[in-house]
Amino acid sequence: NRTTCNPSTRNNSRRRCLRNSYRVEQTNSDPARKEAQRLYEKACALTRGELLLHENQFRKPPSLWTRFRLNRAVKLFERVLELAPNHWNSVWILGKTVQRLGKEREAFDWFVKAWDLKPQNANVAREAALSAMKLGLGRHAVEYCEEALAFEPNEPGLVSNLALALLHAGRPEQALEKAQEAVALDARDKVNENVLRAIRHIIANKSACPQNSAELDAYCKKYREIFR
């Protein structure tokens, strides 16, 4: 079930990142480009409907057959990158694929590489930040949240994500400021409101800041009265 104060993953550009219409251009020859494009489209087809996006981020672990398909996609994306090392879409979807396979640390490394290749995309930075929060890398989560906000400074979900990242980084007072800002930007969003309530509760109780997303989930489940 969905917990009450998860980071925001809602962004249409995530879907655009997954479209296999992105052409592979960074190759030295036309045959290599065509082969890379063919492999990329085949890999995307294997991952379709299986990656963790906003509407299905809490789905069950993949079945044995799905894992087989995803592992096959990983091999195909790796072959694409041998032909076109700077194809950031392959890097990004490769990160999402290994994430679905439960390899969060490897996923984070791919998201960071995607950001290095495409530093003008807020969604790429968002994905790196979300992964960092799961891994307990608070400082990195803050860094990538701030990068995403540089492109969309008034996006409430990104502001709320920064609040959570600051909390994981052990900076609760700054987290509170950002959580209040997110609610001010969109008072109707229940997740932003719940993030604010959770941070207030942690500060009032003088509790230790949760180091990662799992610890925050456990805290929220322990103190369900926060959200009543």
Side-chain angles (χ1 to χ4, degrees), residues 174-193:
Q174 291 172 281
L176 178 60
E177 291 179 9
K178 288 300 175 182
Q180 291 170 330
E181 181 181 335
V183 170
L185 287 168
D186 187 358
R188 296 172 298 177
D189 190 311
K190 291 300 296 181
V191 175
N192 292 346
E193 176 64 31

Side-chain angles (χ1 to χ4, degrees), residues 14-203:
R14 291 160 65 90
R15 289 192 177 280
R16 291 195 293 272
C17 286
L18 293 170
R19 291 177 184 167
N20 62 12
S21 59
Y22 278 88
R23 310 305 297 177
V24 178
E25 303 293 347
Q26 304 91 343
T27 60
N28 294 323
S29 67
D30 188 61
R33 181 190 61 77
K34 290 180 179 179
E35 175 64 4
Q37 185 67 36
R38 184 187 70 82
L39 294 171
Y40 173 66
E41 292 177 2
K42 187 175 180 180
C44 286
L46 288 169
T47 67
R48 191 168 296 125
E50 289 298 333
L51 304 185
L52 299 178
L53 303 174
H54 175 71
E55 67 276 11
N56 63 4
Q57 59 182 309
F58 301 105
R59 66 190 308 174
K60 295 178 181 179
S63 66
L64 185 62
W65 172 242
T66 298
R67 293 183 67 86
F68 173 81
R69 288 171 58 87
L70 294 177
N71 278 307
R72 176 61 179 155
V74 167
K75 297 297 184 184
L76 291 172
F77 282 126
E78 288 174 346
R79 288 173 62 188
V80 172
L81 293 173
E82 289 175 3
L83 295 168
N86 296 325
H87 189 239
W88 74 269
N89 287 92
S90 289
V91 175
W92 191 88
I93 306 176
L94 180 51
K96 294 299 295 179
T97 305
V98 297
Q99 182 185 63
R100 182 72 172 115
L101 289 166
K103 302 175 182 179
E104 193 65 51
R105 178 68 217 205
E106 184 179 346
F108 174 72
D109 291 339
W110 284 116
F111 296 144
V112 170
K113 183 174 181 179
W115 171 251
D116 290 340
L117 292 171
K118 189 71 173 179
Q120 298 85 25
N121 190 309
N123 187 62
V124 176
R126 180 201 298 254
E127 206 66 57
L130 296 177
S131 186
M133 283 189 252
K134 292 177 183 177
L135 293 167
L137 304 175
R139 180 175 62 83
H140 293 296
V142 170
E143 174 186 348
Y144 287 111
C145 283
E146 290 175 340
E147 294 283 9
L149 277 167
F151 294 98
E152 300 180 28
N154 296 317
E155 167 56 43
L158 293 180
V159 177
S160 184
N161 285 357
L162 178 55
L164 289 174
L166 288 164
L167 184 68
H168 293 318
R171 297 156 63 181
E173 297 298 336
Q174 291 172 281
L176 178 60
E177 291 179 9
K178 288 300 175 182
Q180 291 170 330
E181 181 181 335
V183 170
L185 287 168
D186 187 358
R188 296 172 298 177
D189 190 311
K190 291 300 296 181
V191 175
N192 292 346
E193 176 64 31
N194 287 338
V195 168
L196 176 58
R197 291 184 180 186
I199 293 172
R200 280 176 172 165
H201 192 274
I202 288 168
I203 293 173

